[in-house]
Amino acid sequence: MKIDYTLSDDIAVTSTDAARVEKEGYGGAWVGETRHDPFMQCLQAATATASITVGTSIAIAFARTPMTLANLGYDLAQYSEGRFVLGLGSQIKPHIEKRFSMPWSHPAPRMRELLLGIRAIWDSWQNGTKLDFRGDFYTHTLMTPFFTPKPQAFGPPSIYLAGVGPGMTEVAGEAADGFIVHPFTTVRYIEEVTIPALLRGRARAGKDDLEGFTICGPSFVTLGRTEAEMERSVAATKKQIAFYGSTPAYRPVFEMHGWGEVQPELTTLSKQGRWDDMASLITDDILGEFSVVGTPEEVGRGLRAKIGDIYARTTLYDSGGSDQAHWPAVLDAAS
């Protein structure tokens, strides 16, 4: 299992941070889509590094079309010399419609078609096949020589898809090269819900197992070397778990462990703006299911033991309560 690093949204330090994490031994550098365009940050990270994976975790798929995503992914594969991964996610309806002014409907079928459309476009560019993709949501039938990129030595990038529910997870198994597990998950949920859904999707693509398919994602870490550090880290992680748990779509994760009643309580408090009170509903048992807790060395060994047989790569998801100066020790212990 490789330990990766999530770059900050401070675009002034993207290049220097990417170079630093490569030197420190991380396996990859990922960029989320929050305040800035993640693809421009990935370009900066790719040009500042030589060997590590660079990818989006995640870029918002429905804010774009298959053609725009195909262009971005294809170009970044060349800029990075084959190290780029196109990580995509759906976001939620209000953001797609009200923030991006883009259509929202049937997210899992739409995502499946979007991924297949991207692959059809890449096949046209890389192999010279006629572009004739016709779907319910996207249609791409025009590709003239003036607008056709030349085939490249590195080929198109891998596509990883993020999801939580079985529907989107099945799409990942069928049409993507990897799955980005949401941080609001547990090992039991992965084993009993996520992996079976991935296998159903793989079966639709004519594949019997997960061979060659990458499971990855952020992992909550709660760490410190002193009592005060641990208190800050525990408080921050519980607050983040509570924030995610307030989303009704994530209730099945709670329900699997018998904590279903916690979710509507979190939603109620969030609607009242009582964000600090929400963390009090996250017990130590809940914390232990979602996060690895302990000293940096204990967290490193715990990550390996907890998800090392499931994830091919993970990032350390710290909620702002721990000192990142301790992270190299986590990396060493997890190796």
Side-chain angles (χ1 to χ4, degrees):
M1 181 181 69
K2 293 183 178 179
I3 306 293
D4 295 337
Y5 190 94
T6 301
L7 298 174
S8 77
D9 60 8
D10 183 354
I11 59 177
V13 298
T14 299
S15 296
T16 54
D17 277 358
R20 173 181 59 80
V21 300
E22 181 175 58
K23 185 177 180 180
E24 290 177 353
Y26 289 89
W30 296 86
V31 178
E33 181 164 10
T34 53
R35 295 180 177 88
H36 301 287
D37 186 294
F39 296 104
M40 295 187 71
Q41 280 192 269
C42 281
L43 176 59
Q44 291 292 311
T47 55
T49 56
S51 61
I52 62 174
T53 298
V54 174
T56 52
S57 179
I58 53 83
I60 299 172
F62 296 154
R64 302 169 175 89
T65 70
M67 185 63 70
T68 56
L69 288 166
N71 272 126
L72 288 162
Y74 204 69
D75 289 353
L76 278 164
Q78 184 166 359
Y79 284 125
S80 66
E81 299 183 329
R83 295 181 288 122
F84 177 70
V85 173
L86 178 60
L88 299 174
S90 62
Q91 246 297 349
I92 58 176
K93 182 178 179 180
H95 282 268
I96 299 304
E97 292 186 337
K98 298 178 181 180
R99 185 155 68 97
F100 292 103
S101 190
M102 293 289 280
W104 172 277
S105 64
H106 310 292
R110 178 181 284 272
M111 184 66 78
R112 175 183 179 274
E113 197 172 287
L114 181 139
L115 299 188
L116 295 177
I118 293 172
R119 295 196 185 280
I121 295 165
W122 284 343
D123 189 45
S124 171
W125 295 345
Q126 189 72 12
N127 302 312
T129 58
K130 178 178 172 59
L131 181 59
D132 188 21
F133 183 82
R134 303 170 190 267
D136 296 326
F137 308 101
Y138 304 103
T139 298
H140 295 280
T141 58
L142 178 63
M143 182 54 59
T144 61
F146 186 77
F147 296 103
T148 302
K150 294 180 180 179
Q152 53 165 298
F154 307 102
S158 296
I159 301 175
Y160 293 178
L161 179 61
V164 177
M168 193 67 75
T169 306
E170 288 182 23
V171 171
E174 178 185 5
D177 303 298
F179 182 68
I180 302 174
V181 180
H182 194 282
F184 190 81
T185 194
T186 65
V187 170
R188 182 179 173 187
Y189 189 85
I190 293 170
E191 292 176 341
E192 297 185 20
V193 177
T194 301
I195 291 178
L198 289 173
L199 288 171
R200 290 194 297 271
R202 297 283 282 177
R204 284 203 295 267
K207 298 174 182 178
D208 298 329
D209 52 34
L210 294 173
E211 183 70 27
F213 187 88
T214 299
I215 298 177
C216 62
S219 299
F220 277 117
V221 292
T222 306
L223 58 93
R225 292 200 182 278
T226 68
E227 185 175 339
E229 286 181 341
M230 283 303 304
E231 286 181 359
R232 286 195 301 271
S233 191
V234 166
T237 305
K238 285 186 174 183
K239 187 173 182 178
Q240 189 64 43
I241 292 171
F243 169 75
Y244 281 131
S246 67
T247 302
Y250 299 159
R251 180 169 181 166
V253 184
F254 271 150
E255 288 181 332
M256 175 163 285
H257 295 272
W259 304 319
E261 73 284 352
V262 175
Q263 194 283 315
E265 292 183 55
L266 290 171
T267 299
T268 298
L269 290 175
S270 69
K271 290 180 178 179
Q272 295 172 352
R274 296 167 60 186
W275 301 103
D276 291 335
D277 294 335
M278 291 164 60
S280 66
L281 298 180
I282 306 303
T283 66
D284 289 343
D285 286 341
I286 295 175
L287 174 68
E289 287 291 342
F290 284 94
S291 179
V292 180
V293 183
T295 66
E297 292 78 13
E298 289 170 339
V299 167
R301 292 190 295 269
L303 279 173
R304 174 70 61 182
K306 186 175 184 179
I307 61 171
D309 292 334
I310 302 173
Y311 286 34
R313 56 197 320 146
T314 188
T315 54
L316 307 182
Y317 191 154
D318 171 70
S319 301
S322 69
D323 186 349
Q324 286 197 16
H326 297 324
W327 284 21
V330 177
L331 195 64
D332 289 342
S335 300

